[in-house]
Amino acid sequence: MGYPDQRFDVNLSILFTELPLLERPAAAAAAGFTAVELWWPWIETPTPPQAELDALKKALDDAGTQLVGLNFYAGQLPGPDRGALSVPGEESNRFRANIEVAAGFAASVGCTALNALYGNRVEGADPQVQDALALENLVLAARAADRVGAILLVETLNKPESPLYPLVSAPAAIEVVDRVNAATGLGNAKFLLDLYHLSMNGEDLSQVIKAYAAKTGHVQIADNPGRGAPGTGDLPLERLLDELKDAGYAGWVGLEYKPGERPSADSFDWLPPSARPAG
């Protein structure tokens, strides 16, 4: 048990950001990792030119890295936005334009998990109207994901850092997951369980794991406080990951932490090199 018993991947949208996007897969591989994940890399557009999609696929292939998680278009992330799918008007339209693009790219690289960030509450918009729009868009995304053999992820964020985001507890995200699965009948909507965000919300992490491991499709970690590498804060991450495994979770664990002042490659000293390749 412990860290060597997990399947880790590196989030290339928060680690190795000191490098251009197309150099990050090779940097992760040089650090010993064979699996990576990404937020939607083109924050300005849901529909980048095919040449840019091809270049990213080539960078992943050349590095020998497997993309195991990808966000749908989520607006300005990092930045003020926390997704687009529940935001009426142009942002919702941009999310819809992105669905087939993101699913198609995922299929081209063998990525089987697509994360759909819910989006912030908008001043002047009725929350019920936003939630109805969100369900509509999540159903479209779930069906597209299913067509390419992927799951759809719904993520809880944390209220201190994302005060306008409505899904700031595990039960809130699980409710959306259940609603999407009921609407599609596909069963491919899953919970993205991020131990950092849940801890920032003050949730009982062991209890969340017990209650929702069976509905969890992906896990992400960072220590708290600080959102740094494991060991820089107070979270018993090794024990919590063991609890997830004991509860039946056998999926990926995304490293979604800030490396701090040092280069990203120097932030993995908590993990033995032998435990970095995806087994």
Side-chain angles (χ1 to χ4, degrees), residues 65-83:
T65 49
Q66 174 65 46
L67 187 70
V68 300
L70 175 68
N71 283 13
F72 285 104
Y73 170 80
Q76 299 289 313
L77 183 77
D81 299 334
R82 296 291 184 271

Side-chain angles (χ1 to χ4, degrees), residues 36-260:
V36 297
E37 62 181 59
L38 277 167
W39 303 341
W40 184 248
W42 298 278
I43 63 172
E44 301 297 340
T45 178
T47 53
Q50 187 61 43
E52 293 190 27
L53 294 160
D54 293 344
L56 179 55
K57 180 185 186 310
K58 184 176 188 304
L60 291 163
D61 290 346
D62 288 352
T65 49
Q66 174 65 46
L67 187 70
V68 300
L70 175 68
N71 283 13
F72 285 104
Y73 170 80
Q76 299 289 313
L77 183 77
D81 299 334
R82 296 291 184 271
L85 62 90
S86 69
V87 180
E90 185 55 34
E91 279 300 271
S92 169
N93 293 339
R94 286 159 75 87
F95 177 81
R96 288 190 185 192
N98 175 247
I99 290 174
E100 294 300 336
V101 178
F105 182 75
S108 77
V109 295
C111 174
T112 56
L114 287 158
N115 183 27
L117 283 169
Y118 200 83
N120 288 329
R121 290 297 190 219
V122 179
E123 199 177 333
D126 182 335
Q128 286 183 306
V129 171
Q130 283 200 256
D131 290 341
L133 177 64
L135 182 58
E136 222 175 275
N137 283 335
L138 285 165
V139 164
L140 293 173
R143 289 181 176 143
D146 183 66
R147 286 196 292 274
V148 299
I151 59 172
L152 174 78
L153 297 169
V154 177
E155 183 175 7
T156 291
L157 300 182
N158 76 77
K159 195 167 182 64
E161 292 173 325
S162 303
L164 300 177
Y165 190 81
L167 307 184
V168 287
S169 72
I174 291 291
E175 193 182 322
V176 173
V177 165
D178 290 345
R179 220 179 283 147
V180 174
N181 285 332
T184 65
L186 296 170
N188 71 328
K190 302 280 187 183
F191 180 40
L192 196 167
L193 191 159
D194 185 309
L195 289 167
Y196 168 73
H197 287 309
L198 295 173
S199 71
M200 284 285 285
N201 289 327
E203 294 191 64
D204 181 330
L205 300 179
S206 294
Q207 200 48 50
V208 168
I209 287 166
K210 267 191 206 129
Y212 303 126
K215 293 185 176 184
T216 296
H218 192 69
V219 171
Q220 291 173 332
I221 64 168
D223 216 330
N224 188 23
R227 200 174 184 173
T232 59
D234 305 327
L235 288 185
L237 289 168
E238 197 159 15
R239 174 173 65 73
L240 292 165
L241 292 177
D242 282 346
E243 288 175 17
L244 266 160
K245 213 164 182 70
D246 290 343
Y249 180 74
W252 296 98
V253 177
L255 305 179
E256 198 185 50
Y257 63 76
K258 297 175 180 175

